[in-house]
């Protein structure tokens, strides 16, 4: 029966001597993985520090200008946080799947310019066309990355250059033509962004999902293909990040009566990636926290509102550069203290064969390190039977000869 030979057809991983079926349950990558589960304690500690920093900065902003945190000021602040948050989600999605998308900033600026020009045609028409163009552009980028097996940062940088060419066709600022005001639903927008970010982080802590999302992460030669499933996940991430960037641009354009200025948008890319790294997402892919993106977005948004109260002139390039620098240090901490403990192998429980099984399982194979296996203790020799004569067994039998 099937359960009688379950342990005989398991291939052995040459580097570890562990059956592949066990590797798939223990390792994040069955071929080049590390034994054990990732540790999330470093993410919890860092997110606690972000929460303390956000509370302290929010208290300073409240003392400097209480109107910023209530009424219309609070609604404008929340919409700005959602716009930056969508950009951070776009960057974080591409980072966790190991295909960093450097075109998110220019895509957001291009979408903002498009909405400013076409907003009077209706929200569904203007935003829908921007989303469709972003999805098609993200699909082209994804095909270039997964088919040619080229670095995503280089391919997305080339895509960003093409989007900048589109932006440079506008020489002056453009007033927003639409009448959509996201501040009327600022609370719902922020709640939706926070829910998506937190749920995404929670799903990312599940071992199988994390392994699936980070499958495109290089483990040996980065030019080697990682398989069809990894390519599909990377393509979906690139398309999704491009669409999120377009939605972020629409929100940022609609947040306030000001005009949209045509810029390269690369400063938005630096800020988005910096905020994502600051929230605990690893620059290498796969690893990330739960509440880190929401807290990092809140921290940067509150600082942007607090700096003018202190007459500080902080450019977006400087803010993005600082966030990116601190985020790289966080990546080092995450990769150092978030990986499984050295020498730890998760204990695998024996698996039965369903409801008809009563616990009959094939004994586990002994590790190759313990070869040769320990021989069983020999039994004591039996005492000789005086009534048994060896002649009757070794000599010829007369009835056999007669039968012939």
């Amino acid at each position: 029966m099937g359960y009688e030979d379950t342990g005989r057809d398991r291939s052995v991983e040459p580097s570890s001597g562990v059956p592949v079926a066990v590797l798939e349950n223990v390792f994040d990558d069955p071929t080049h993985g590390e034994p054990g589960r990732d540790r999330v304690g470093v993410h919890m500690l860092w997110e606690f520090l972000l929460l303390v920093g956000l509370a302290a900065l929010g208290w300073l902003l409240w003392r400097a200008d209480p109107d910023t945190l209530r009424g219309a000021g609070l609604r404008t602040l929340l919409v700005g946080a959602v716009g930056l948050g969508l950009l951070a989600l776009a960057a974080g999605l591409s980072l966790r799947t190991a295909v960093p998308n450097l075109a998110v900033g220019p895509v957001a600026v291009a979408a903002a310019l498009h909405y400013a020009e076409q907003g009077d045609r209706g929200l569904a028409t203007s935003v829908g066309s921007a989303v469709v163009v972003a999805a098609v552009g993200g699909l082209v980028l994804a095909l270039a990355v997964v088919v040619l097996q080229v670095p995503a940062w280089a391919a997305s940088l080339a895509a960003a250059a093409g989007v900048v060419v589109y932006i440079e066709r506008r020489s002056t600022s453009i007033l927003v033509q639409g009448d959509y005001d996201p501040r009327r639903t600022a609370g719902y927008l922020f709640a939706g962004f926070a829910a998506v970010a937190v749920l995404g982080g929670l799903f990312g802590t599940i071992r199988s999902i994390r392994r699936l999302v980070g499958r495109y992460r290089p483990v040996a030669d980065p030019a080697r293909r990682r398989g069809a499933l990894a390519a599909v996940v990377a393509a979906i991430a690139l398309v999704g990040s491009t669409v999120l960037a377009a939605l972020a641009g629409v929100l940022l354009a609609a947040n306030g009566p000001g005009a949209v200025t045509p810029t390269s948008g690369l400063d938005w890319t630096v800020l988005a990636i910096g905020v994502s790294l600051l929230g605990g997402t690893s620059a290498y892919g796969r690893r990330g926290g739960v509440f880190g993106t929401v807290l990092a977005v809140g921290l940067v948004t509150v600082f942007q509102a607090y700096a003018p109260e202190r007459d500080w002139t902080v450019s977006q390039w400087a803010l993005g550069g600082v966030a990116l620098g601190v985020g790289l240090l966080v990546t080092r901490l995450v990769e150092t203290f978030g990986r499984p403990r050295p020498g730890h192998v998760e204990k695998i429980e024996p698996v039965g064969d369903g409801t008809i099984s009563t616990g009959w399982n094939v004994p586990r194979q002994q590790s190759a390190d313990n070869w040769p296996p320990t021989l069983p203790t020999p039994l004591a020799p039996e005492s000789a039977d005086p009534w048994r004569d060896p002649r009757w067994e070794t000599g010829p039998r007369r009835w056999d000869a007669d039968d012939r």
Side-chain angles (χ1 to χ4, degrees), residues 182 194 375:
L375 297 177

Side-chain angles (χ1 to χ4, degrees), residues 1 19 32 42 45 96 98 103 116 147 155 168 235 251 263 268 276 281 288 307 310 332 340 354 367-368 379 389 391:
M1 298 177 66
H32 301 88
V42 61
L45 177 60
R96 291 199 70 163
V147 173
E168 288 181 343
L251 277 180
T263 60
W268 282 107
S276 181
T281 302
R310 298 297 303 269
R332 186 68 269 157
S367 172
L379 300 177
D389 190 354
R391 294 181 307 154

Side-chain angles (χ1 to χ4, degrees), residues 308-323:
E309 301 296 332
R310 298 297 303 269
D311 295 329
W312 294 343
T313 302
V314 181
S315 69
Q316 195 156 272
W317 282 105
L319 183 59
V322 172

Side-chain angles (χ1 to χ4, degrees), residues 118-391:
Q118 307 294 330
D120 55 350
R121 299 176 57 188
L123 183 64
T125 301
S126 58
V127 177
S129 59
V131 169
V132 169
V133 172
V136 173
L139 182 59
V140 173
L141 173 62
L143 290 177
V145 171
V146 301
V147 173
L148 300 179
Q149 191 64 25
V150 296
W153 65 266
S156 60
L157 189 60
V163 178
V164 171
V165 172
Y166 168 81
I167 295 173
E168 288 181 343
R169 296 175 59 188
R170 281 85 175 163
S171 58
T172 59
S173 300
I174 302 175
L175 291 174
V176 179
Q177 303 298 318
D179 57 354
Y180 170 63
D181 188 2
R183 292 170 293 182
R184 291 176 294 186
T185 57
Y188 297 104
L189 290 174
F190 185 81
F193 151 70
V196 170
V198 173
L199 288 177
L202 286 174
F203 280 116
T205 60
I206 300 175
R207 181 181 55 193
S208 58
I209 295 179
R210 185 183 64 246
R211 184 171 62 219
L212 175 65
V213 169
R215 189 176 291 270
Y216 204 79
R217 170 174 168 163
V219 292
D221 185 355
R224 295 181 60 183
R225 300 184 186 276
R226 298 286 290 147
L229 182 58
V232 170
V233 172
I236 293 175
L238 287 172
V239 174
S241 63
T242 308
V243 170
L244 285 174
L247 294 175
V250 172
L251 277 180
L252 293 174
N255 187 26
V260 179
T261 303
T263 60
S264 66
L266 292 176
D267 54 340
W268 282 107
T269 295
V270 174
L271 182 60
I273 294 179
V275 170
S276 181
L277 296 179
L278 186 64
T281 302
S282 173
Y284 295 102
R286 198 184 76 194
R287 294 187 171 98
V290 178
F291 301 96
T293 300
V294 177
L295 295 174
V297 167
L299 184 66
V300 172
T301 302
V302 172
F303 177 80
Q304 287 177 325
Y306 178 69
E309 301 296 332
R310 298 297 303 269
D311 295 329
W312 294 343
T313 302
V314 181
S315 69
Q316 195 156 272
W317 282 105
L319 183 59
V322 172
L324 189 59
V326 177
L328 291 176
L329 296 178
V330 176
T331 289
R332 186 68 269 157
L333 293 175
V334 167
E335 290 293 333
T336 301
F337 300 103
R339 63 180 56 189
R341 293 181 177 87
H344 170 75
V345 177
E346 184 181 355
K347 182 180 179 181
I348 304 298
E349 298 295 335
V351 180
D353 60 344
T355 57
I356 66 172
S357 175
T358 57
W360 297 354
N361 295 304
V362 177
R364 297 184 182 180
Q365 298 178 353
Q366 296 183 354
S367 172
D369 296 336
N370 297 328
W371 183 261
T374 304
L375 297 177
T377 304
L379 300 177
E382 298 181 359
S383 58
D385 188 356
W387 298 98
R388 187 175 181 180
D389 190 354
R391 294 181 307 154

